[in-house]
Amino acid sequence: MTPNPTYILAIESSCDDTGVSVLKNDQILSNVVAKQDIHEEYGGVIPELASRAHQANIVPTVDIALKKAGIRKEELHAIAFTQGPGLMGSLLVGSSFAKSMAMALDIPLIAVHHMHAHILAHFIDEGQEKPQFPFLGVTISGGHTQILKVNSFFDMEVLGETTDDAVGEAYDKTAKLLGFSYPGGPLIDKYAQEGNPKAFVFTKPKVEGLNFSFSGLKTQIMYFLQKNIKENPAFIQENLADICASIQHTIVSILMDKINHAVAQTQIYQVAIGGGVSANKGIRCALEKEQESKDWKVFIPKFEYTTDNAAMIGIVGYYKYLDQQFADATVVSKPRIEI
Ligand code: KG4
Ligand code: ZN
């Protein structure tokens, strides 16, 4: 019989953030993220440094999450952790810790798919309306760009995905060309708010069906900047807001074209976004406009559930707990896993 309430501790360590959350059923008692600033100076995540920082952060982060939740570890009913996809060294720190803790407390271990978690974060209960199955899930992060048909908590079909770079990568790589430190996506978003989105025109890639491509855009922006800097060395500084607004406008319109296409193809009018790029003001605003003008229901996560966090791992953990989907100590971390 399922205990009520069920307390679950969740661990997220797929990339460069160490996240730990404690849930009481489908509600969040604590959600702590230890950020790793060390990668900023390198312009991207260095895997070896990320796993070492996870090792240093995991024990204190678990401790803080339990204290904030007001729960003793002996009261926990299960430990959920990110199985993948992600960086192998980072995943191993979280999974080894989760296995040891579950074994020591003699409670079940639950393996969670990171991308399922980005979508199912919409089921964290904060009194809001939740999506009804089936709905369209759009994962937009530093590693993924997918449109999914979400049939149930555990059944998702990929309708389209990127054929090269992820949308977050496109943001971060173009941001690097503009001289921003990693991750530059939020900075492009910030400067875009003050600029003219039509100041510069970039061509959108022609990609079949519901798939995406972002690598051409990055190259196009690189040549555009090189040409203009040759004529005016201060081109970036003098036009920063307009450049950012034009890049943002192009990326958002690539995403919106495909989302519109997916709605038309499936006749599913509920769209839920997830992943780091779902924090972006441009995509949030474009989706809200569609909701006002068409018969759509749009689900946009709260800011703290957009970039990597353990609360989203915990909510999947909770539904897997109800379904008794437990892992044993032989479960392996997977840098790549299919949806
Ligand atoms: O989901 P996430 O935290 O990690 C992955 O699973 O990849 O996503 C991180 C990505 C980075 O590429 C970051 O630049 C991007 O999300 N990002 C943004 C914004 N906030 C985060 N991109 C554009 N606008 C934002 N406001
Ligand atoms: Zn993520």
Side-chain angles (χ1 to χ4, degrees):
M1 222 179 63
T2 310
N4 194 8
T6 301
Y7 292 111
I8 293 181
L9 181 127
I11 296 171
E12 152 62 29
S13 71
S14 64
C15 190
D16 58 338
D17 295 327
T18 316
V20 182
S21 179
V22 178
L23 284 84
K24 177 182 179 183
N25 298 339
D26 54 359
Q27 295 181 342
I28 306 301
L29 296 182
S30 64
N31 182 29
V32 183
V33 182
K35 297 261 174 211
Q36 302 182 1
D37 297 335
I38 186 148
H39 307 286
E40 269 175 32
E41 58 192 282
Y42 296 97
V45 176
I46 309 292
E48 181 56 32
L49 294 181
S51 43
R52 281 191 221 165
H54 281 303
Q55 279 181 327
N57 292 344
I58 193 135
V59 173
T61 315
V62 166
D63 208 35
I64 294 168
L66 283 168
K67 284 205 177 91
K68 278 197 168 173
I71 295 292
R72 287 177 299 113
K73 59 184 185 310
E74 293 75 21
E75 291 176 87
L76 295 170
H77 296 101
I79 310 286
F81 72 98
T82 305
Q83 185 184 13
L87 300 171
M88 191 53 161
S90 294
L91 291 168
L92 280 173
V93 177
S95 69
S96 312
F97 188 92
K99 283 179 193 181
S100 320
M101 192 162 177
M103 212 179 279
L105 295 171
D106 196 21
I107 54 176
L109 179 67
I110 301 171
V112 173
H113 190 304
H114 181 87
M115 299 315 294
H116 285 190
H118 270 304
I119 290 298
L120 298 177
H122 290 282
F123 292 88
I124 292 171
D125 185 35
E126 295 185 335
Q128 83 288 18
E129 189 180 349
K130 311 201 177 45
Q132 303 281 317
F133 299 115
F135 63 90
L136 292 175
V138 183
T139 55
I140 40 179
S141 75
H144 285 77
T145 309
Q146 289 183 319
I147 300 186
L148 308 166
K149 180 168 173 246
V150 185
N151 297 315
S152 73
F153 287 114
F154 313 116
D155 176 18
M156 303 188 191
E157 286 166 56
V158 180
L159 303 180
E161 61 191 335
T162 185
T163 52
D164 42 53
D165 289 353
V167 59
E169 239 177 310
Y171 264 109
D172 296 337
K173 287 180 178 170
T174 48
K176 200 170 174 182
L177 298 173
L178 295 172
F180 293 141
S181 59
Y182 176 86
L187 291 168
I188 294 195
D189 190 14
K190 181 178 153 210
Y191 287 101
Q193 304 311 309
E194 334 252 277
N196 171 10
K198 304 269 169 72
F200 305 106
V201 177
F202 301 111
T203 45
K204 293 192 274 177
K206 290 190 179 58
V207 189
E208 288 281 301
L210 296 176
N211 286 337
F212 297 89
S213 166
F214 286 100
S215 64
L217 181 67
K218 172 193 67 198
T219 316
Q220 199 189 142
I221 292 166
M222 184 178 79
Y223 287 130
F224 161 83
L225 291 174
Q226 279 174 355
K227 180 174 156 284
N228 283 286
I229 290 169
K230 216 182 223 173
E231 289 161 18
N232 171 13
F235 177 74
I236 293 182
Q237 293 88 314
E238 286 173 10
N239 297 280
L240 190 59
D242 285 349
I243 300 170
C244 290
S246 304
I247 293 171
Q248 174 119 313
H249 174 73
T250 312
I251 293 179
V252 169
S253 95
I254 294 171
L255 292 172
M256 289 309 299
D257 284 354
K258 295 293 177 168
I259 296 173
N260 264 293
H261 189 153
V263 170
Q265 184 178 307
T266 58
Q267 299 288 304
I268 296 173
Y269 296 92
Q270 296 178 86
V271 179
I273 55 168
V277 182
S278 63
N280 183 271
K281 293 190 193 70
I283 188 75
R284 287 175 167 241
C285 193
L287 282 166
E288 275 160 4
K289 269 196 195 142
E290 293 292 338
Q291 179 163 262
E292 277 166 28
S293 63
K294 297 182 185 154
D295 207 9
W296 287 25
K297 183 83 202 121
V298 164
F299 297 88
I300 296 173
K302 263 177 80 177
F303 190 73
E304 60 259 44
Y305 305 139
T306 55
T307 44
D308 290 346
N309 65 86
M312 66 181 195
I313 304 301
I315 192 71
V316 184
Y318 174 64
Y319 282 102
K320 283 196 155 186
Y321 188 93
L322 294 182
D323 205 42
Q324 303 272 297
Q325 291 186 38
F326 300 135
D328 62 31
T330 62
V331 63
V332 287
S333 297
K334 293 188 175 166
R336 290 169 197 277
I337 335 181
E338 293 301 307
I339 274 290

